[in-house]
């Protein structure tokens, strides 16, 4: 009797990937394509034990999804995901002991599919359990911590992505900082312009009628095209006023483009949040003698805050992703590492850029969801 | 206490309130009644300047309200609306304390006042002080709404169809509460309603509005017995007219001071309508009456109920 179809599909996919696709890929150096190594070839002790939670995942689709079963599924999925990484790390270390220093062990297609299936199984279980946002975030943090501990202990040092990291440590740290700077630098003008614009757009039909169509059009321009469009006017500006210290490439166009993209979700959610304030509340507030300013600060702002923070979350996650593309116009950041890897055909370098971008987005997303939950609870 | 002097408000070409003049005396409960679009709610909102008249003057305690800062005026008056409008992100206590906080009352005084009001509105302070509006029933929310309006001890209370959205039982309970509060505090109350029974039950004076014009402004008995025109007569309703008259008069107004009768006595403040009901229930045509102090006050005869 099948009780959980989602889990069944995930388990079947993972089993198929384990049997048919290489778990690891081993290459003499980072430019050559590697030879595949099956999961069966690396399943030895002690790390083979780490895959035992997989048994729970195979059984779970057939069990009645009680709270206990769901909690066990989530726990097993997280342990299994971390176990896969640990197993890969262990085998990479074994291979490195006998191979040349330039040799590379990287994750194979089988690993990625099993890892993804395990994380989706955890997500499915968390959703079915109906956990509160803080608990969801705790589960996510636990999953991350299980891998982070292995990285910190040096257990994964012989995997190619960490070898790339070791080679590029200074560049990597600088890129992470730069990525954060791009996102933060675009957030400031976004809030300075977006918040007043959102308030105005909600209060005046005329303003909203202009602001929303314009921002919608901006949102549909592909990011590369927008960078291109900004190139000419910014170069001209830089030529006319060199003392501004900006140019057609680099940080300035990246921040401007990100701001333009970020305005729509911010403005829209500010307006939607204010629209959601019941008219009866405004009417009562006015009738009791609150000034317009008091009505805004004491009633409208706190009631619109959760919707606004949801908009901020969308904006920040979007900005983290777009900032990666901004590397194309010389803004730097993690995107620069990704493109360097793409142009050099070095997949591990691409991962070294891409994985932190994903983590960055996930952490920002989780942090703001937590904030929304806390604010909503305060308002409940 | 409140005087309308030829007050007019137009929305476009249409006069919502058209040269209306009337006076509400201190301590009165005045009901503004009329069908939808009669201008009753507009008239109410002009008293606290949520709507500004196009012409005419409104005086509160002799003062032309056009000269006052609207916020100061509103803080001196309680305001209750049909949709309640409690702040959903504030506790009951903070909701009630809204106007005292705006006026800068010291915290201890605000706290005592909240306790006092919760008790007045029959809400257990221990249970409701820290509750949020969404945890309350509709009737409880409107009780808090009334408490909030009374918080800063206003001399005037404005109520815009405050009980229309409540179920009949809750509505009756709150009407009784309001009658008690009015009797005890002697606050001047202006009360908008479209329900004539509610107006007859609560008001000392009823102002009937039709298409922005004041048709009649008189005590309930006069509205019943001497309606200004057919519009008022229809509004009162021809059905059960006699019972409505009995409902606004009390036993004390028809009692014969001499004679004796058997049975449990009626208080002299009881509406005649209920006295009639008692006679029917007990199968008698005369009942003893006692005054407010419980002393014998005479006998009520059935024949006196039907005399004009």
């Amino acid at each position: 009797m099948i009780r959980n179809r989602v889990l069944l599909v995930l388990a079947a996919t993972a089993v198929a990937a384990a049997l048919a696709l290489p778990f690891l890929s081993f290459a003499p150096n980072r430019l050559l394509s590697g030879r595949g190594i099956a999961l069966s070839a690396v399943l030895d002790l002690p790390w083979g034990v780490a895959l035992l939670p997989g048994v729970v995942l195979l059984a779970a689709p057939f069990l009645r999804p009680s709270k206990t079963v769901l909690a066990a599924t989530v726990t097993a999925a997280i342990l299994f995901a971390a176990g896969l990484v640990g197993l890969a790390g262990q085998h990479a270390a074994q291979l490195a002991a006998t191979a040349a220093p330039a040799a590379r062990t990287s994750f194979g297609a089988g690993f990625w599919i099993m890892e993804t299936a395990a994380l989706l199984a955890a997500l499915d279980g968390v959703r079915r359990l109906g956990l509160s946002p803080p608990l969801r975030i705790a589960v996510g943090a636990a999953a991350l911590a299980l891998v982070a501990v292995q990285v910190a202990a040096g257990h994964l040092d012989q995997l190619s992505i960490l070898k790339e990291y070791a080679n590029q440590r200074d560049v990597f740290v600088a890129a992470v900082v730069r990525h954060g700077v791009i996102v933060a630098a675009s957030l400031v003008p976004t809030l300075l312009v977006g918040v007043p614009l959102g308030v105005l757009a909600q209060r005046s039909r005329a303003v909203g009628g202009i602001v929303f169509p314009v921002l919608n059009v901006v949102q549909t321009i592909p990011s590369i095209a927008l960078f291109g469009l900004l190139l000419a006017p910014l170069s001209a500006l830089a030529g006319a006023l060199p003392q501004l210290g900006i140019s057609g490439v680099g940080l300035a166009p990246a921040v401007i483009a990100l701001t333009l993209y970020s305005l729509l979700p911010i403005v829209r959610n500010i307006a939607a949040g204010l629209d959601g304030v019941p008219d009866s509340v405004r009417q009562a507030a006015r009738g009791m003698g609150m000034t317009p300013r008091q009505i805004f600060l004491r009633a409208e702002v706190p009631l619109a805050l959760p919707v606004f923070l949801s908009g901020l979350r969308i904006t920040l996650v979007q900005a983290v992703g777009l900032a990666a593309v901004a590397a194309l116009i010389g803004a730097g950041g993690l995107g620069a590492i990704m493109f360097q890897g793409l142009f050099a055909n070095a997949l591990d370098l691409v991962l070294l850029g891409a994985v932190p971008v994903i983590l960055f987005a996930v952490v920002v997303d989780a942090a703001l969801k937590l904030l929304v939950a806390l604010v909503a609870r305060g308002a409940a | 206490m409140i005087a309308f002097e030829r007050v007019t408000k137009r929305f476009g070409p249409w006069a919502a309130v058209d040269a209306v003049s009337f006076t509400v005396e201190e301590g009165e409960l005045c009901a503004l009644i009329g069908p939808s679009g009669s201008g009753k709610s507009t008239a109410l909102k002009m008293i606290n300047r949520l709507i500004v008249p196009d012409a005419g003057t409104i005086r509160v305690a002799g003062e032309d309200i056009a000269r006052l800062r609207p916020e100061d005026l509103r803080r001196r008056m309680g305001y209750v609306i049909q949709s309640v409008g409690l702040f959903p992100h504030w506790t009951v206590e903070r909701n009630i304390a809204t106007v005292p906080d705006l006026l800068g009352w010291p915290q201890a005084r605000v706290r005592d006042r909240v306790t006092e009001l919760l008790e007045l509105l029959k809400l257990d302070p221990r249970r409701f002080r820290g509750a949020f509006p969404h945890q309350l029933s509709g009737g409880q929310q409107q009780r808090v709404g009334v408490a909030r309006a009374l918080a800063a001890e206003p001399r005037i209370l404005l109520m815009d169809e405050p009980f229309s959205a409540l179920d009949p039982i809750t509505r009756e309970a709150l009407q009784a509460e309001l009658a008690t509060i009015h009797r005890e505090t002697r606050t001047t109350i202006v009360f908008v309603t479209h329900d004539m029974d509610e107006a007859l039950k609560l008001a000392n004076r009823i102002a009937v509005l039709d298409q922005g014009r004041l048709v009649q402004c008189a005590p309930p008995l006069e509205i019943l017995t001497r309606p200004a025109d057919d519009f008022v007569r229809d509004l009162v309703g021809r059905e059960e007219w006699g019972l409505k008259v009995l409902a606004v008069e009390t036993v004390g107004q028809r009692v014969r001071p001499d004679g004796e009768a058997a049975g449990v006595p009626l208080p002299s403040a009881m509406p005649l309508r209920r006295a009639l009901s008692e006679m029917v229930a007990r199968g008698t045509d005369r009942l003893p009456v006692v005054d407010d102090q419980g002393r014998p006050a005479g006998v009520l005869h059935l024949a006196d109920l039907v005399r004009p």
Side-chain angles (χ1 to χ4, degrees):
Chain A
M1 187 66 199
I2 300 159
R3 304 297 190 122
N4 184 338
R5 285 166 198 275
V6 175
L7 214 50
L8 183 70
V9 170
L10 291 175
T13 310
V15 168
L19 296 177
L21 293 169
F23 181 69
L24 291 174
S25 164
F26 180 77
N29 67 54
R30 81 180 206 192
L31 298 180
L32 294 174
S33 51
R35 135 183 94 79
I37 302 170
L39 180 62
S40 53
V42 301
L43 258 184
D44 39 32
L45 296 171
W47 276 89
V49 178
L51 296 195
L52 277 180
V55 178
V56 177
L57 297 180
L58 292 178
F62 306 100
L63 300 174
R64 201 176 61 78
S66 64
K67 278 215 183 278
T68 319
V69 168
L70 287 173
T73 310
V74 172
T75 312
I78 289 172
L79 289 174
F80 185 72
L84 285 173
V85 175
L87 188 63
Q90 178 199 226
H91 203 74
Q94 280 173 12
L95 287 169
T98 55
R104 292 303 172 97
T105 311
S106 48
F107 299 120
F111 167 86
W112 288 116
I113 292 177
M114 281 192 282
E115 185 76 11
T116 307
L119 292 177
L120 288 176
L123 220 58
D124 176 65
V126 165
R127 197 179 55 76
R128 282 173 202 261
L129 274 172
L131 298 181
S132 65
L135 274 175
R136 280 172 193 232
I137 288 165
V139 170
L144 268 181
L146 286 175
V147 176
V149 166
Q150 298 183 44
V151 173
H155 179 70
L156 308 180
D157 280 355
Q158 295 307 322
L159 281 166
S160 58
I161 181 170
L162 278 142
K163 280 189 143 180
E164 292 293 353
Y165 167 70
N167 288 342
Q168 312 249 4
R169 185 169 305 170
D170 294 341
V171 176
F172 178 81
V173 171
V176 170
V177 171
R178 178 72 166 191
H179 209 92
V181 167
I182 298 171
V183 171
S186 68
L187 185 63
V188 174
T190 300
L191 291 177
L192 285 181
V193 177
V195 172
L197 211 54
V199 174
L200 278 178
Q202 193 263 338
R203 303 222 157 162
S204 150
R205 212 174 267 272
V207 175
I210 297 167
V211 166
F212 286 116
V214 169
L215 291 180
N216 271 316
V217 168
V218 169
Q219 204 74 14
T220 58
I221 304 174
S223 48
I224 306 257
L226 187 56
F227 291 139
L229 284 174
L230 289 169
L231 200 65
L234 281 174
S235 299
L237 187 64
L241 296 163
Q243 60 270 30
L244 280 181
I246 61 167
S247 70
V249 295
L251 196 59
V255 168
I256 293 173
L258 252 59
T259 303
L260 288 174
Y261 283 125
S262 301
L263 278 177
L264 180 65
I266 288 289
V267 172
R268 195 171 46 199
N269 281 53
I270 293 258
L274 291 173
D275 270 338
V277 176
D279 262 346
S280 60
V281 169
R282 282 199 191 87
Q283 208 188 331
R286 227 176 125 227
M288 282 186 298
M290 285 195 185
T291 60
R293 186 193 159 86
Q294 286 167 334
I295 296 173
F296 182 68
L297 292 177
R298 298 189 189 190
E300 295 189 308
V301 167
L303 290 172
L305 200 57
V307 182
F308 163 67
L309 288 176
S310 300
L312 188 61
R313 180 174 65 85
I314 297 167
T315 300
L316 281 173
V317 169
Q318 179 183 276
V320 167
L322 283 172
V325 186
L328 280 178
I329 48 158
L334 287 161
I337 296 181
M338 278 167 59
F339 288 118
Q340 192 194 338
L342 275 176
F343 298 141
N345 199 20
L347 188 61
D348 299 314
L349 208 50
V350 176
L351 284 178
L352 186 63
V355 171
V357 171
I358 296 169
L359 286 180
F360 196 164
V362 167
V363 168
V364 165
D365 184 69
L368 274 141
K369 272 185 183 160
L370 187 65
L371 201 58
V372 171
L374 291 177
V375 167
R377 183 186 299 175
Chain B
M1 189 66 179
I2 303 170
F4 277 62
E5 294 165 14
R6 297 198 57 77
V7 174
T8 298
K9 176 67 195 179
R10 291 176 191 287
F11 294 116
W14 169 66
V17 171
D18 193 357
V20 163
S21 303
F22 69 96
T23 311
V24 182
E25 298 301 331
E26 180 151 18
E28 268 188 336
L29 197 161
C30 172
L32 300 179
I33 189 164
S36 310
S38 60
K40 55 191 191 299
S41 196
T42 306
L44 183 86
K45 286 179 182 154
M46 286 193 286
I47 302 174
N48 64 359
R49 285 192 65 187
L50 286 174
I51 294 176
V52 179
D54 295 325
T57 311
I58 299 174
R59 290 180 199 283
V60 169
E63 228 176 338
D64 181 354
I65 60 164
R67 292 169 201 277
L68 300 171
R69 199 174 81 110
E71 283 80 16
D72 293 334
L73 177 73
R74 290 173 197 152
R75 287 172 198 180
R76 280 166 40 191
M77 298 180 178
Y79 186 53
V80 182
I81 55 178
Q82 183 182 343
S83 45
V84 191
L86 295 180
F87 298 112
H89 56 304
W90 286 356
T91 59
V92 164
E93 165 149 42
R94 194 150 176 224
N95 264 291
I96 295 177
T98 305
V99 180
D101 280 346
L102 289 173
L103 294 172
W105 284 22
Q107 282 308 304
R109 183 174 169 207
V110 173
R111 229 187 127 68
D112 291 345
R113 182 67 182 147
V114 170
T115 311
E116 194 182 327
L117 284 163
L118 284 170
E119 280 165 359
L120 182 67
L121 271 305
K122 310 240 162 70
L123 295 168
D124 179 3
R126 276 168 307 174
R127 194 174 140 215
F128 288 99
R129 185 189 287 279
F132 282 94
H134 71 94
Q135 297 168 315
L136 273 50
S137 71
Q140 289 166 341
Q141 288 187 12
Q142 194 56 294
R143 279 170 193 269
V144 175
V146 174
R148 180 173 70 171
L150 291 170
E153 294 167 353
R155 289 172 61 201
I156 295 176
L157 182 60
L158 307 178
M159 308 183 91
D160 196 347
E161 303 211 24
F163 309 140
S164 304
L166 303 173
D167 66 82
I169 295 173
T170 312
R171 188 188 312 148
E172 282 213 11
L174 269 156
Q175 284 169 346
E177 233 73 85
L178 182 66
T180 312
I181 290 167
H182 179 237
R183 200 167 49 239
E184 285 172 7
T185 63
R186 300 315 296 177
T187 308
T188 307
I189 301 177
V190 183
F191 188 105
V192 167
T193 181
H194 58 254
D195 177 355
M196 184 51 100
D197 287 325
E198 186 169 68
L200 289 171
K201 189 189 290 181
L202 294 173
N204 315 114
R205 180 185 294 273
I206 298 176
V208 182
L209 288 152
D210 180 33
Q211 296 180 359
R213 293 183 159 276
L214 183 70
V215 183
Q216 189 171 11
C217 181
L221 189 61
E222 194 178 324
I223 294 277
L224 282 166
T225 53
R226 279 185 288 152
D229 59 13
D230 281 344
F231 175 77
V232 179
R233 204 167 284 128
D234 287 338
L235 204 62
V236 170
R238 294 164 203 256
E239 229 177 278
E240 298 192 0
W241 178 86
L243 292 175
K244 284 176 185 169
V245 173
L246 290 181
V248 300
E249 281 195 86
T250 59
V251 169
Q253 289 169 289
R254 301 265 173 135
V255 66
R256 290 187 200 174
D258 44 4
E260 277 183 29
V264 180
L266 307 175
S268 63
M270 177 186 273
L272 285 175
R273 184 184 166 137
R274 277 190 57 197
L276 176 65
S277 172
E278 285 293 322
M279 288 182 179
V280 173
R282 299 191 205 170
T284 173
D285 63 353
R286 60 194 66 186
L287 282 169
V289 177
V290 291
D291 65 11
D292 294 346
Q293 277 80 43
R295 294 180 303 233
V299 175
L300 182 71
H301 293 258
L302 178 62
D304 293 341
L305 297 188
V306 294
R307 114 176 107 82

